[in-house]
Amino acid sequence: MAGSKNCPYCGGTVNQGATVCGQCGGPLKKAPAGAGSNPLKVTHCPQCNTPVSPGDILCMSCGTNLLTGQKVAAPKAQASPESGRSLWVVAAKWVSAALLVFAAIGIALFVTLYLLRDPVGEALKYARSEDWDHAVSTLKNYIQKNPDKTNAQFLLAKFYWKMQEYDKAYDLFALVAQKGESTARDALLLAVLAAEEIADKQPEYREKQRSLLSDLAGTRFAGDGEVQLLLALTLGKEGDFARQKGVMDKALASGAKPADILPVLAYALDRDLPALEQFVERQQQAGSALNADALAAAGIMRLEEGQSDSAIATLSTLPSVSPHVDGWVKLQLGALYMGKGEYGKALPLLSDAKHQQPENERAVFLHALCLQENKLTEEAVTAFDQLVSARKNYAGQAALQLAQILSDQGNLDRAAAMAREAAELGLNTARQAAIQGMIFARQGDSMQAEQAYRRALSMSSDYAPAFLELGLLLIARNATDEGLAQLDQYLKLAQSDPVGLHANEIELLVAQIRQSQ
Amino acid sequence: MKYRNFFYGNALLICLLLATPAFAWGPRSQQVIVTTALQLVSREQNLPLNRLQSDIQAGAALSPPMIEALYPDLLSDPLRAIENEMALLTAARGAKIDSYYAFRLGALGKVVSNYAAPMYTADPTLRSQYYNDAEGSVNPGSLKPAPRKIYESMQALERVMREANSGNDLIENDYKTGRGFKASAQARLAEDLSRSVNVVADIWWSIVTSRAVQGNISQRQLQQYILQAYTYYVDQGSTAALESAEKNYEKLVEFSPDLRVQLGDLFQNAGMLERSIREYEIALEGAPEKRDIVEKIGNYYSDQAEKSLEKGLLEDALAGFEKALAVYGLHPTAERRRLEVEAMIRQRDALHAQYQESLAMADEMRSLAEDEASRSRYAEAIALLQQSQTALSDVGDEFPLEMQHRIRAERDNRTRIAEFRQLLLSNTAAFSGSAFGPDMKVLIQGASEGIEEEALLSFFNQAYLKEMVRLKASMQSTASLEQH
């Protein structure tokens, strides 16, 4: 309401530029000099200079309104000189008297109304008409004068809630909650919600939220299961899983009935498998089987604790779970099968996981690796390409995989570009250097290749592929003895994984090259 | 062979004991006589003996001991011997004259020609001298054929003998006085030879045309004749002639089990084992109680099984032992040998299966090696070929097919290994990139690391959000202005 103001006399709303209140006629601007800056205190009429009493409104001599400076009757000078003048004076007196009576009545009415008005209701009225400024200012004025009025504070908090000014809403809800009156519990829950609304942008509110809950859950609401549950969740949100588990136990003991998955997650995130198993057992004894999402969480927990067989059994036979959980379960199982080298089994799982979680770079990357291992090279290239383009997690590794595939396909220029891209994406590893070297070698640039291999070995002196590639390069350049020395070094390292590193074949190669010398 | 030796032995013994030259005419003279008689009978009487000339001449060429073996009574009673032989041949004559019959005719011709020769009863020294001299003066063209006569008794033959020897005194005198053969003997020679020719032809003619039933010839004699005939044919090695003749013999006499056994022995001695066992089996059908036949058959099958075993024919050996046991259940070695052969078959089959498995593995390795080589992975290919060679080394020479397979595969492997080695040195770059494989595991491990925790946190955030939504919904009315 930047274009309006209140009348100092009647309190009514008037335009900013108005000089007179439209409702009570009171002056809104400083009266011009001579027109009476304080009309109720003038001693002479500004028109006829007739002495007037303080509190007169009309000049009984000339009929000028002492408040406005305007004449409400013709000047007495225009009447007949004697009889007319007295008639007019009498009439003026009567009019003045009447006016005075009316004014007195008006003032009395105004005072009565002022004394009887309801600012809270008024504010509510403004609020309902979505006049939030008046609603808030009215209520704030009221609260300023009546700081103990909790209901007004609660209402003002609601106004802020409605206005989506959650920080202010939180502060007032928290204030009300801490006062411990009848609205304290509602105020607490609304304070939690208000903090939740802004916690992502203003993380201090997460702490405030947890602090408020912690204070009140320990005192006034110590036996309130729902409040305990909220505290547990808030603690979990802050990553304090140990306290979350303890409070969750308290919430359950206080009669909270959370979704199955919440206690399971509380135990799982604190890595307390025995507590989790006890909970599951209790649920079974109580005759209520865990829902599928909770089972999935329990399965993943078991997996994390190394019970992979029972976890796979659980996760593979889950009834219908929510899409979000399903995506993670499939990703988890897919990763497991990938780890076991069962790429055929992993592919459909990871395809589903990627479909359900297209934003999950881990799922996309694992899916791309799986495609590569299933010899679906073109599909793998597309998938790696997308990761590289996104330039997010795994982009560097995806670029390097792409470089390797393209190199094997003979597309050496693009392979070299991808190897450089991997480095630019922050992947400065021995593997990156070795693959880059291999691409140089295939491009016929043996000098750069050798440099890249040696750089790889300087990064990691036990990176076997770099020894192999360097050895082969040197042999191809007829530096056979030096090359064989590199291959010998490779064979030593290859003992860690003789099959994967083709130790037998390389050993045979070395033996045959020596034999051929 | 045993019987033949027996005959020869007896003949030689008789000759030594008697020390009497029993035969007249020299060999050439005898051949001329028999051959001329044969021609006479064939041509004049239309008797088809020409095709059997060689058999007749073989009979006529028998040595004195063999003749005496054939005619045991010849020295003591030649006429009776001739008469018996004529009766025998008459009885043994079938619809068709077979080779042995011709042989016997030849032998009889020789005996008769001797009997009807001059000097048969003269001093042995002069007689020998006479026959030697006559041998050089024989002229087939001077012989004079006479019409055929039927000899129904031996008196006529006796007369011929007396007639032939009627000039013995004159000839003996010529020799004693030194005039020798040329004095009168030479002049009589054509007549004397012609007499012999005619008497031989007449005797043959009498035999082949006789209608009389020879009741004095026993089954045993006929069986003996048949046994001698079989011996003759076996010695000749003429199984076709034997098969042709034996149809006639089966009509001639009943083949007793003993005869069958003798024939079986004959065939066995001659090495005709299948024929031998056929005879034994027929004999056994006729006399199943004869243990010696059973043993012979059992032994035969057992021997055959042993021979099969020596050749490595285990199934044949097993079948042989089983046959031996089927015939002669108490065979002393057959059951043990059968069990041994069964064990050998099992071992062989197991070995065979093992060889085939090794060969299959070797082939598979070679195939994989070719795949690797096609991708220029020569070291892998060589390693696989060496594995193939190792598998092949397990295959022995016991089974020809597998042995050939092994030899061929070993040769191919050696060739390919040499080729791959050459390619290997010029293609080491093929190994480039082969060591990056394990990096995939590292990548997978890295990408999977912390996935459980991330999943649980995601679940938590999702559940938290849900809980807040639920709370917000439940507080909706409280937060509304209407509630104030």
Side-chain angles (χ1 to χ4, degrees):
Chain A
M1 300 295 278
S4 63
K5 60 182 179 181
N6 293 339
C7 173
Y9 300 100
C10 67
T13 305
V14 292
N15 289 331
Q16 191 71 40
T19 54
V20 177
C21 175
Q23 295 177 35
C24 67
L28 299 176
K29 284 185 176 175
K30 199 172 181 179
S37 58
N38 190 355
L40 296 176
K41 292 178 180 178
V42 295
T43 54
H44 294 86
C45 173
Q47 291 293 333
C48 62
N49 207 25
T50 305
V52 293
S53 303
D56 288 351
I57 293 172
L58 289 172
C59 174
M60 297 306 290
S61 173
C62 64
T64 299
N65 187 330
L66 298 174
L67 292 172
T68 63
Q70 292 174 329
K71 277 194 175 179
V72 295
K76 284 188 289 185
Q78 292 175 353
S80 60
E82 284 297 331
S83 61
R85 187 181 175 194
S86 63
L87 185 63
W88 281 104
V89 168
V90 171
K93 282 180 180 177
W94 279 106
V95 169
S96 296
L99 286 173
L100 284 171
V101 169
F102 280 121
I105 292 168
I107 288 166
L109 190 62
F110 173 78
V111 169
T112 305
L113 285 173
Y114 182 77
L115 291 174
L116 292 175
R117 71 175 184 157
D118 176 12
V120 174
E122 214 172 295
L124 204 51
K125 190 177 162 189
Y126 286 130
R128 282 175 184 153
S129 62
E130 297 195 348
D131 184 356
W132 296 112
D133 285 346
H134 280 109
V136 170
S137 63
T138 303
L139 210 49
K140 275 175 83 173
N141 286 339
Y142 178 72
I143 291 168
Q144 199 173 358
K145 291 169 185 170
N146 302 282
D148 295 333
K149 294 292 185 183
T150 306
N151 276 347
Q153 290 171 331
F154 190 46
L155 184 61
L156 184 58
K158 285 187 187 179
F159 287 174
Y160 285 131
W161 173 269
K162 292 287 183 188
M163 293 163 70
Q164 298 185 352
E165 292 186 19
Y166 295 112
D167 49 348
K168 293 174 182 171
Y170 171 80
D171 291 341
L172 280 172
F173 279 136
L175 186 67
V176 173
Q178 282 166 333
K179 283 187 175 179
E181 295 182 5
S182 62
T183 53
R185 189 174 186 279
D186 288 342
L188 174 61
L189 299 183
L190 287 168
V192 169
L193 288 172
E196 188 60 37
E197 293 289 345
I198 51 173
D200 288 342
K201 290 180 181 171
Q202 299 178 56
E204 67 270 20
Y205 276 89
R206 177 75 64 205
E207 195 180 339
K208 284 182 180 181
Q209 180 192 45
R210 194 259 308 145
S211 177
L212 176 67
L213 275 167
S214 192
D215 285 349
L216 296 177
T219 54
R220 176 176 296 278
F221 300 108
D224 189 323
E226 188 174 12
V227 173
Q228 299 294 340
L229 179 63
L230 282 173
L231 175 58
L233 291 176
T234 312
L235 288 167
K237 197 71 179 166
E238 283 195 321
D240 189 350
F241 301 123
R243 282 187 66 201
Q244 181 196 24
K245 183 184 70 179
V247 177
M248 182 62 77
D249 282 338
K250 202 171 169 186
L252 291 171
S254 302
K257 300 286 183 193
D260 287 348
I261 195 169
L262 289 173
V264 169
L265 287 171
Y267 300 127
L269 288 167
D270 194 41
R271 293 175 175 248
D272 191 347
L273 187 59
L276 170 64
E277 300 296 4
Q278 282 174 11
F279 173 73
V280 172
E281 198 177 328
R282 280 202 305 275
Q283 290 294 106
Q284 284 172 346
Q285 284 171 354
S288 56
L290 292 180
N291 69 20
D293 286 2
L295 283 174
I300 289 175
M301 165 67 183
R302 291 189 187 107
L303 196 61
E304 198 172 17
E305 292 300 307
Q307 298 179 3
S308 59
D309 289 341
S310 84
I312 288 173
T314 305
L315 295 176
S316 303
T317 56
L318 284 175
S320 60
V321 292
S322 62
H324 177 78
V325 172
D326 189 43
W328 277 104
V329 167
K330 283 181 172 161
L331 177 58
Q332 183 68 69
L333 283 173
L336 265 174
Y337 285 127
M338 285 281 280
K340 290 181 170 195
E342 296 179 34
Y343 304 114
K345 282 185 181 178
L347 186 57
L349 291 165
L350 290 174
S351 296
D352 284 354
K354 183 192 169 191
H355 180 69
Q356 287 168 344
Q357 300 185 20
E359 300 302 319
N360 186 339
E361 290 103 5
R362 187 202 291 269
V364 177
F365 184 60
L366 276 170
H367 179 245
L369 291 177
C370 193
L371 287 170
Q372 188 182 358
E373 287 301 289
N374 279 290
K375 313 292 180 204
L376 297 168
T377 312
E378 291 309 313
E379 291 83 348
V381 166
T382 306
F384 285 130
D385 234 353
Q386 287 168 356
L387 278 165
V388 175
S389 302
R391 302 183 78 82
K392 291 184 182 173
N393 289 336
Y394 301 105
Q397 287 172 332
L400 198 56
Q401 286 306 106
L402 207 46
Q404 200 178 3
I405 294 172
L406 291 168
S407 172
D408 288 343
Q409 288 178 338
N411 190 350
L412 297 177
D413 290 342
R414 201 168 159 227
M418 277 298 141
R420 280 195 302 275
E421 179 92 18
E424 285 165 11
L425 286 164
L427 193 69
N428 290 307
T429 60
R431 182 165 184 267
Q432 186 274 335
I435 288 176
Q436 195 165 31
M438 182 181 72
I439 295 166
F440 281 137
R442 289 177 182 181
Q443 284 177 321
D445 190 345
S446 63
M447 294 308 292
Q448 287 231 55
E450 185 179 351
Q451 283 175 11
Y453 294 145
R454 294 199 186 280
R455 192 169 70 249
L457 290 173
S458 71
M459 287 183 203
S460 174
S461 59
D462 59 353
Y463 187 59
F467 282 108
L468 175 67
E469 297 297 335
L470 182 56
L472 294 175
L473 180 75
L474 292 170
I475 288 169
R477 278 165 44 181
N478 290 325
T480 312
D481 289 338
E482 198 184 346
L484 287 173
Q486 299 294 336
L487 293 184
D488 285 339
Q489 195 62 32
Y490 171 79
L491 287 172
K492 283 182 192 169
L493 294 168
Q495 295 312 307
S496 61
D497 182 6
V499 176
L501 291 169
H502 302 278
N504 288 341
E505 290 89 330
I506 303 299
E507 199 168 358
L508 185 65
L509 174 71
V510 169
Q512 287 168 359
I513 291 172
R514 286 211 163 98
Q515 191 181 3
S516 68
Q517 278 189 306
Chain B
M1 190 63 88
K2 197 163 63 176
Y3 284 89
R4 199 171 46 188
N5 290 339
F6 174 76
F7 290 138
Y8 295 161
N10 283 345
L12 183 62
L13 184 63
I14 290 165
C15 291
L16 289 172
L17 285 173
L18 296 177
T20 307
F23 296 102
W25 299 123
R28 183 167 176 268
S29 304
Q30 287 172 0
Q31 287 296 326
V32 168
I33 292 166
V34 170
T35 305
T36 308
L38 168 66
Q39 287 168 353
L40 283 176
V41 173
S42 297
R43 189 173 60 241
E44 293 174 1
Q45 307 305 326
N46 200 23
L47 190 64
L49 291 177
N50 275 338
R51 62 181 178 83
L52 299 170
Q53 183 174 346
S54 61
D55 297 302
I56 290 172
Q57 284 179 338
L62 280 179
S63 63
M66 293 176 78
I67 287 289
E68 284 162 13
L70 204 58
Y71 307 108
D73 299 335
L74 185 63
L75 292 178
S76 59
D77 189 352
L79 280 176
R80 192 175 166 206
I82 291 169
E83 187 178 26
N84 284 343
E85 179 68 1
M86 286 178 68
L88 177 65
L89 290 179
T90 302
R93 190 190 69 213
K96 187 179 173 185
I97 295 174
D98 63 85
S99 294
Y100 183 66
Y101 196 88
F103 172 80
R104 292 291 288 249
L105 285 177
L108 181 61
K110 178 184 175 90
V111 170
V112 169
S113 70
N114 285 338
Y115 189 73
M119 299 291 284
Y120 181 75
T121 56
D123 176 71
T125 307
L126 295 177
R127 185 174 60 187
S128 296
Q129 197 174 353
Y130 168 76
Y131 291 138
N132 284 334
D133 291 340
E135 191 77 352
S137 301
V138 172
N139 178 13
S142 63
L143 299 178
K144 294 174 183 170
R148 295 280 70 73
K149 291 188 291 187
I150 300 295
Y151 280 75
E152 292 179 348
S153 69
M154 289 299 102
Q155 281 85 0
L157 185 59
E158 201 171 5
R159 277 197 300 275
V160 171
M161 190 192 81
R162 277 199 300 271
E163 184 184 337
N165 285 276
S166 60
N168 286 358
D169 293 341
L170 180 60
I171 295 169
E172 282 178 340
N173 191 43
D174 287 342
Y175 276 103
K176 285 175 184 173
T177 58
R179 289 193 296 270
F181 181 75
K182 289 184 178 176
S184 60
Q186 188 166 18
R188 297 168 57 103
L189 182 61
E191 186 183 348
D192 289 337
L193 284 171
S194 296
R195 185 184 308 110
S196 289
V197 168
N198 285 318
V199 77
V200 169
D202 289 342
I203 289 291
W204 287 351
W205 181 245
S206 299
I207 291 169
V208 298
T209 57
S210 173
R211 296 282 186 273
V213 177
Q214 300 301 321
N216 56 341
I217 296 301
S218 67
Q219 284 286 306
R220 188 182 159 282
Q221 284 175 301
L222 285 171
Q223 286 176 351
Q224 188 65 22
Y225 170 82
I226 286 168
L227 186 61
Q228 288 165 339
Y230 272 83
T231 305
Y232 175 79
Y233 284 121
V234 167
D235 286 345
Q236 295 283 314
S238 176
T239 50
L242 172 62
E243 284 171 11
S244 172
E246 70 183 344
K247 290 175 186 168
N248 190 38
Y249 298 158
E250 284 168 1
K251 294 175 190 167
L252 195 63
V253 68
E254 184 185 353
F255 278 52
S256 68
D258 285 338
L259 178 59
R260 291 284 183 189
V261 170
Q262 285 177 314
L263 291 175
D265 292 343
L266 172 68
F267 286 126
Q268 191 176 41
N269 292 332
M272 298 167 69
L273 298 177
E274 288 182 11
R275 183 62 202 269
S276 153
I277 206 64
R278 201 168 81 200
E279 296 300 334
Y280 288 143
E281 284 174 344
I282 295 170
L284 189 62
E285 284 174 15
E289 74 286 353
K290 280 191 167 290
R291 184 181 166 83
D292 61 330
I293 303 176
V294 166
E295 286 181 10
K296 281 176 188 290
I297 297 173
N299 287 336
Y300 166 77
Y301 282 127
S302 179
D303 291 345
Q304 290 299 105
E306 293 291 353
K307 285 175 185 168
S308 297
L309 195 56
E310 283 172 13
K311 293 176 188 171
L313 303 172
L314 298 182
E315 275 75 12
D316 290 351
L318 182 67
F321 288 125
E322 285 173 348
K323 274 186 182 175
L325 285 166
V327 176
Y328 182 25
L330 297 176
H331 193 282
T333 59
E335 175 60 10
R336 178 175 57 79
R337 296 294 282 160
R338 186 185 69 81
L339 292 172
E340 286 172 359
V341 171
E342 272 187 350
M344 290 164 81
I345 288 173
R346 281 197 299 275
Q347 285 176 356
R348 184 207 57 191
D349 289 348
L351 190 64
H352 188 246
Q354 184 189 328
Y355 285 1
Q356 286 188 327
E357 194 178 333
S358 296
L359 288 171
M361 184 185 291
D363 287 347
E364 189 182 344
M365 291 293 154
R366 198 159 63 249
S367 171
L368 289 172
E370 293 296 338
D371 285 348
E372 292 293 331
S374 69
R375 285 180 285 174
S376 302
R377 298 163 70 94
Y378 298 111
E380 288 89 338
I382 290 168
L384 286 165
L385 285 176
Q386 285 172 339
Q387 287 178 45
S388 173
Q389 289 291 72
T390 305
L392 288 173
S393 68
D394 294 339
V395 180
D397 297 343
E398 292 86 343
F399 307 103
L401 282 177
E402 282 71 16
M403 182 184 73
Q404 285 173 8
H405 189 155
R406 184 202 71 207
I407 291 169
R408 198 169 52 247
E410 282 176 338
R411 189 179 58 234
D412 291 349
N413 282 351
R414 281 194 295 273
T415 306
R416 294 301 278 162
I417 285 172
E419 289 170 1
F420 292 161
R421 278 192 174 141
Q422 191 57 39
L423 288 166
L424 174 73
L425 289 173
S426 56
N427 202 13
T428 53
F431 287 93
S432 175
S434 64
F436 290 113
D439 287 350
M440 180 59 81
K441 286 183 189 169
V442 177
L443 280 174
I444 292 166
Q445 200 176 353
S448 305
E449 206 167 78
I451 195 168
E452 297 91 353
E453 195 170 345
E454 192 181 338
L456 291 172
L457 278 173
S458 177
F459 290 178
F460 175 76
N461 286 330
Q462 190 75 9
Y464 180 88
L465 200 61
K466 214 183 234 180
E467 195 62 20
M468 287 298 147
V469 169
R470 184 197 63 74
L471 181 63
K472 193 172 178 180
S474 73
M475 295 304 291
Q476 197 66 42
S477 60
T478 309
S480 79
L481 299 178
E482 302 306 323
Q483 282 283 315
H484 197 83

